[in-house]
Amino acid sequence: MDRLQAMHIFRAVVDAGSFAGGARKLELSNAMVSKQIAKLEASLGVRLLTRTTRRLQLTAEGERYLNGASRLLDELQELETGLGEQRGEVRGKLRLSAPLDFGVRALIPALQAFECRHPAVMLDVVLEDRRVDPVAEDFDLVVRIGELEDSSLIARPLMDMPRHVYAAPSYLARHGTPAHPADLRGHRCLHYSLAREGQYWHFQVEGAPYRVRIRPVMACNNGRALTEAAIRGMGLVYKPAFLGEPEVEAGRLVRVLDGFSVAPISVHLLYAEREFIPARLRALVDTLLAHFAEDRA
C-alpha cells in the first residue's frame, strides 16, 4: 500500500463528506477509494471512519490521524513547491481572505496584475465580511480593514481608505442637504451593521473629533446593497470612497458634508510569522503593496 496515497485519499473523503465525493474529487473509482481506506484502517489497526446511511463521521482516532496526515501532506507539498521556487519558479497555491465589497471592487484588479506576472500560482480567494483568523483557518494572507488587534501576525500597511457621506440627488431634493454633522440626527440614514464603531458616524469639526449617533432607517451587512439603497433615494450612506466615487462620477450619488473631514480607515495585509516565507506569498504581498501605492500616487 502506498501510505501517502492512502493519506491523500482519506483526507479527500473527509473533505467531501463521502466516499463517492472523494472519488469524484480524485477522479478514482468508488471501489478504489473504499479499498484504500479499508487497507489504511487495517494497517493502522483502528477504525478511522464511522459509516452511516446519511454521512461519514470521524472516530476519535480518525480525527487524530487526519490532523497528523494533513500536516505531513501540507509539509510535503510545501517542500516540493519550495524546491521549485529555489530554481526561480513562483508556483503553488495561495489562500486569501478579504472583505466582500473591497475584494470585488478593489482587490480583483490587483490580483489580475499578480496573475499576469505569476500564472503558475493558483489563488483561492474567500470574500466575506467577518474577522478571519489566518492561522486557525489556514489562510496565507488576510486583508483586514479597520483597527488591528494585538497579535503575533505580521501586519503590512496597504492603504488608508477615504470615507464620505453620500446621498442621491432625489433624496436631497425631498429631505434637504445636511449642513453640519449634527443635522444627521434628523435625516434618514443607512447603516452598515458590521461597523465596529456601532451606530456612530465620525467626523472632524474645527479640528476636533466629532461623532454623531445615527438612527438608521435600514441596517445591512453588505456595503454594495447599502450603496444601491442610497442610489434609490432611501437615505444617506457613510461609505468608503471605492464604493461611493464611481456612483458620484456616474451622477447617481453626490457627496455631502464635504467640509467636515472623515478619518480614513486603515487597510492592512496580515500573515503568520514563519521562518520560511514562500516566494509566492512574498510575490503576492509585493504586488499588492505596489498596486495600491500606484493608486495613491
Side-chain angles (χ1 to χ4, degrees), residues 95-142:
R95 194 159 184 255
L96 169 64
S97 169
L100 177 59
D101 295 316
F102 183 85
V104 172
R105 286 294 188 114
L107 186 62
I108 292 300
L111 295 182
Q112 180 187 19
F114 176 80
E115 191 275 335
C116 289
R117 294 188 185 98
H118 307 291
V121 177
M122 187 273 182
L123 294 172
D124 180 4
V125 182
V126 178
L127 302 180
E128 52 187 344
D129 292 337
R130 66 181 182 87
R131 294 179 81 81
V132 169
D133 184 333
V135 177
E137 300 181 55
D138 196 27
F139 282 101
D140 296 292
L141 188 66
V142 167

Side-chain angles (χ1 to χ4, degrees), residues 35 50 70 84 169 192 195 245 291:
K35 183 178 179 181
T50 300
S70 293
Y192 181 57
E245 292 307 303
H291 177 88

